[in-house]
Structures are given as structure tokens and as C-alpha cells.
Short mmCIF file of all heavy atoms in Angstrom, two decimals:
data_model
loop_
_atom_site.label_atom_id
_atom_site.label_comp_id
_atom_site.label_asym_id
_atom_site.label_seq_id
_atom_site.Cartn_x
_atom_site.Cartn_y
_atom_site.Cartn_z
N ALA A 15 16.56 5.31 -0.49
CA ALA A 15 15.48 5.37 -1.48
C ALA A 15 14.42 4.31 -1.21
O ALA A 15 13.22 4.56 -1.37
CB ALA A 15 16.06 5.19 -2.88
N TYR A 16 14.85 3.11 -0.78
CA TYR A 16 13.90 2.01 -0.59
C TYR A 16 13.10 2.16 0.69
O TYR A 16 11.90 1.86 0.72
CB TYR A 16 14.64 0.67 -0.62
CG TYR A 16 15.10 0.31 -2.01
CD1 TYR A 16 16.40 0.56 -2.42
CD2 TYR A 16 14.22 -0.28 -2.92
CE1 TYR A 16 16.83 0.24 -3.70
CE2 TYR A 16 14.63 -0.61 -4.20
CZ TYR A 16 15.94 -0.34 -4.59
OH TYR A 16 16.34 -0.66 -5.86
N ILE A 17 13.73 2.60 1.78
CA ILE A 17 12.97 2.72 3.02
C ILE A 17 12.02 3.92 2.94
O ILE A 17 10.90 3.87 3.47
CB ILE A 17 13.91 2.85 4.25
CG1 ILE A 17 13.10 2.73 5.54
CG2 ILE A 17 14.71 4.13 4.21
CD1 ILE A 17 12.39 1.41 5.71
N ILE A 18 12.42 4.98 2.24
CA ILE A 18 11.51 6.12 2.06
C ILE A 18 10.31 5.69 1.23
O ILE A 18 9.16 6.03 1.54
CB ILE A 18 12.24 7.29 1.38
CG1 ILE A 18 13.32 7.85 2.31
CG2 ILE A 18 11.26 8.38 0.98
CD1 ILE A 18 12.81 8.45 3.60
N ARG A 19 10.57 4.92 0.18
CA ARG A 19 9.47 4.42 -0.65
C ARG A 19 8.55 3.52 0.16
O ARG A 19 7.32 3.57 0.03
CB ARG A 19 10.04 3.66 -1.85
CG ARG A 19 8.99 3.22 -2.86
CD ARG A 19 9.62 2.40 -3.96
NE ARG A 19 10.73 3.11 -4.59
CZ ARG A 19 11.57 2.53 -5.44
NH1 ARG A 19 11.43 1.25 -5.74
NH2 ARG A 19 12.55 3.23 -5.98
N TRP A 20 9.13 2.69 1.04
CA TRP A 20 8.36 1.79 1.91
C TRP A 20 7.41 2.60 2.80
O TRP A 20 6.22 2.30 2.92
CB TRP A 20 9.32 0.96 2.75
CG TRP A 20 8.71 0.17 3.87
CD1 TRP A 20 8.54 0.57 5.16
CD2 TRP A 20 8.21 -1.17 3.82
NE1 TRP A 20 7.96 -0.42 5.92
CE2 TRP A 20 7.74 -1.51 5.11
CE3 TRP A 20 8.10 -2.12 2.81
CZ2 TRP A 20 7.19 -2.73 5.43
CZ3 TRP A 20 7.55 -3.36 3.12
CH2 TRP A 20 7.10 -3.66 4.40
N MET A 21 7.94 3.65 3.42
CA MET A 21 7.11 4.45 4.32
C MET A 21 6.10 5.30 3.56
O MET A 21 4.99 5.51 4.02
CB MET A 21 8.02 5.31 5.20
CG MET A 21 8.85 4.48 6.19
SD MET A 21 9.81 5.44 7.39
CE MET A 21 11.06 6.17 6.33
N ASP A 22 6.49 5.77 2.36
CA ASP A 22 5.56 6.55 1.55
C ASP A 22 4.37 5.71 1.10
O ASP A 22 3.29 6.24 0.83
CB ASP A 22 6.27 7.13 0.33
CG ASP A 22 7.20 8.28 0.69
OD1 ASP A 22 7.10 8.77 1.83
OD2 ASP A 22 8.04 8.65 -0.15
N ASP A 23 4.57 4.40 0.99
CA ASP A 23 3.48 3.50 0.59
C ASP A 23 2.50 3.23 1.73
O ASP A 23 1.56 2.45 1.56
CB ASP A 23 4.05 2.18 0.08
CG ASP A 23 4.69 2.33 -1.29
OD1 ASP A 23 4.42 3.33 -1.97
OD2 ASP A 23 5.48 1.44 -1.68
N GLY A 24 2.76 3.81 2.90
CA GLY A 24 1.82 3.68 4.01
C GLY A 24 2.19 2.64 5.05
O GLY A 24 1.43 2.44 6.00
N HIS A 25 3.34 1.99 4.90
CA HIS A 25 3.75 0.99 5.88
C HIS A 25 4.21 1.69 7.16
O HIS A 25 4.92 2.70 7.12
CB HIS A 25 4.88 0.12 5.33
CG HIS A 25 4.49 -0.67 4.12
ND1 HIS A 25 3.66 -1.76 4.18
CD2 HIS A 25 4.80 -0.52 2.81
CE1 HIS A 25 3.49 -2.26 2.97
NE2 HIS A 25 4.17 -1.52 2.11
N CYS A 26 3.84 1.12 8.29
CA CYS A 26 4.22 1.72 9.57
C CYS A 26 5.01 0.74 10.43
O CYS A 26 5.08 0.88 11.65
CB CYS A 26 2.99 2.21 10.32
SG CYS A 26 1.74 0.92 10.59
N THR A 27 5.59 -0.29 9.81
CA THR A 27 6.40 -1.27 10.53
C THR A 27 7.78 -1.34 9.89
O THR A 27 7.99 -0.94 8.74
CB THR A 27 5.77 -2.67 10.49
OG1 THR A 27 5.61 -3.07 9.12
CG2 THR A 27 4.42 -2.69 11.17
N CYS A 28 8.73 -1.86 10.66
CA CYS A 28 10.08 -2.08 10.15
C CYS A 28 10.06 -3.29 9.21
O CYS A 28 9.61 -4.37 9.61
CB CYS A 28 11.04 -2.34 11.32
SG CYS A 28 12.72 -2.79 10.82
N PRO A 29 10.52 -3.16 7.97
CA PRO A 29 10.44 -4.29 7.03
C PRO A 29 11.16 -5.54 7.52
O PRO A 29 10.74 -6.66 7.23
CB PRO A 29 11.10 -3.74 5.76
CG PRO A 29 10.99 -2.26 5.88
CD PRO A 29 11.08 -1.96 7.34
N LYS A 30 12.25 -5.37 8.27
CA LYS A 30 13.05 -6.52 8.68
C LYS A 30 12.54 -7.16 9.96
O LYS A 30 12.45 -8.38 10.07
CB LYS A 30 14.51 -6.12 8.85
CG LYS A 30 15.45 -7.29 9.14
CD LYS A 30 16.91 -6.84 9.11
CE LYS A 30 17.84 -8.03 9.34
NZ LYS A 30 19.26 -7.62 9.29
N THR A 31 12.18 -6.34 10.95
CA THR A 31 11.81 -6.89 12.25
C THR A 31 10.30 -6.92 12.49
O THR A 31 9.83 -7.64 13.36
CB THR A 31 12.44 -6.08 13.39
OG1 THR A 31 11.86 -4.76 13.40
CG2 THR A 31 13.95 -5.96 13.20
N GLY A 32 9.55 -6.11 11.73
CA GLY A 32 8.11 -6.05 11.93
C GLY A 32 7.68 -5.13 13.06
O GLY A 32 6.48 -4.99 13.34
N GLN A 33 8.64 -4.48 13.75
CA GLN A 33 8.28 -3.58 14.85
C GLN A 33 7.56 -2.34 14.32
O GLN A 33 7.83 -1.86 13.21
CB GLN A 33 9.55 -3.15 15.60
CG GLN A 33 10.21 -4.27 16.37
CD GLN A 33 11.52 -3.81 16.99
OE1 GLN A 33 12.58 -3.93 16.38
NE2 GLN A 33 11.43 -3.26 18.19
N MET A 34 6.65 -1.82 15.15
CA MET A 34 5.97 -0.59 14.79
C MET A 34 6.96 0.57 14.83
O MET A 34 7.81 0.67 15.72
CB MET A 34 4.82 -0.32 15.77
CG MET A 34 3.73 -1.38 15.73
SD MET A 34 2.87 -1.46 14.14
CE MET A 34 2.08 0.15 14.11
N LEU A 35 6.86 1.48 13.85
CA LEU A 35 7.74 2.64 13.79
C LEU A 35 7.16 3.76 14.65
O LEU A 35 6.01 4.16 14.46
CB LEU A 35 7.88 3.11 12.34
CG LEU A 35 8.48 2.10 11.34
CD1 LEU A 35 8.51 2.72 9.94
CD2 LEU A 35 9.86 1.67 11.77
N THR A 36 7.95 4.24 15.59
CA THR A 36 7.50 5.35 16.44
C THR A 36 7.58 6.68 15.71
O THR A 36 6.91 7.64 16.07
CB THR A 36 8.34 5.41 17.73
OG1 THR A 36 9.73 5.54 17.36
CG2 THR A 36 8.16 4.13 18.54
N HIS A 37 8.43 6.76 14.71
CA HIS A 37 8.52 7.95 13.85
C HIS A 37 9.15 7.53 12.53
O HIS A 37 9.65 6.41 12.40
CB HIS A 37 9.33 9.07 14.52
CG HIS A 37 10.74 8.69 14.85
ND1 HIS A 37 11.75 8.63 13.90
CD2 HIS A 37 11.31 8.31 16.03
CE1 HIS A 37 12.87 8.28 14.47
NE2 HIS A 37 12.65 8.06 15.77
N THR A 38 9.11 8.40 11.55
CA THR A 38 9.59 8.05 10.21
C THR A 38 10.87 8.78 9.84
O THR A 38 11.26 8.82 8.67
CB THR A 38 8.51 8.37 9.15
OG1 THR A 38 8.18 9.77 9.23
CG2 THR A 38 7.27 7.52 9.37
N ARG A 39 11.53 9.35 10.83
CA ARG A 39 12.80 10.03 10.53
C ARG A 39 13.88 8.99 10.24
O ARG A 39 13.90 7.91 10.83
CB ARG A 39 13.23 10.90 11.71
CG ARG A 39 12.32 12.08 11.97
CD ARG A 39 12.92 13.03 12.99
NE ARG A 39 13.17 12.38 14.28
CZ ARG A 39 12.26 12.27 15.23
NH1 ARG A 39 11.03 12.74 15.05
NH2 ARG A 39 12.56 11.67 16.37
N VAL A 40 14.80 9.33 9.34
CA VAL A 40 15.94 8.45 9.03
C VAL A 40 17.22 9.21 9.31
O VAL A 40 17.30 10.43 9.13
CB VAL A 40 15.91 7.98 7.56
CG1 VAL A 40 14.68 7.13 7.29
CG2 VAL A 40 15.99 9.14 6.58
N VAL A 41 18.24 8.47 9.78
CA VAL A 41 19.52 9.07 10.13
C VAL A 41 20.60 8.46 9.24
O VAL A 41 20.71 7.23 9.15
CB VAL A 41 19.87 8.80 11.61
CG1 VAL A 41 21.22 9.41 11.96
CG2 VAL A 41 18.77 9.35 12.51
N PRO A 42 21.40 9.28 8.55
CA PRO A 42 22.47 8.73 7.70
C PRO A 42 23.42 7.87 8.51
O PRO A 42 23.85 8.25 9.60
CB PRO A 42 23.17 9.98 7.15
CG PRO A 42 22.15 11.07 7.25
CD PRO A 42 21.34 10.76 8.48
N ASN A 43 23.76 6.69 7.97
CA ASN A 43 24.70 5.78 8.64
C ASN A 43 26.06 5.96 7.97
O ASN A 43 26.44 5.22 7.06
CB ASN A 43 24.21 4.34 8.51
CG ASN A 43 24.98 3.39 9.40
OD1 ASN A 43 26.14 3.64 9.73
ND2 ASN A 43 24.34 2.29 9.80
#
């Protein structure tokens, strides 16, 4: 829920590392 909300807000970086996201797909862990 939180990472989807982060990406929906227009962020294009990883919140923890700051790396640019190459895509916005998420995989269940």
C-alpha cells in the first residue's frame, strides 16, 4: 500500500536507496 502510494504521488526513485526506478511493477515477496 505504501510503495504504490509513493509511486502514485509521482515519485520515480526508490525511497530507501534513491535509485531511479526503471519500471513501477511490484513483485509479491
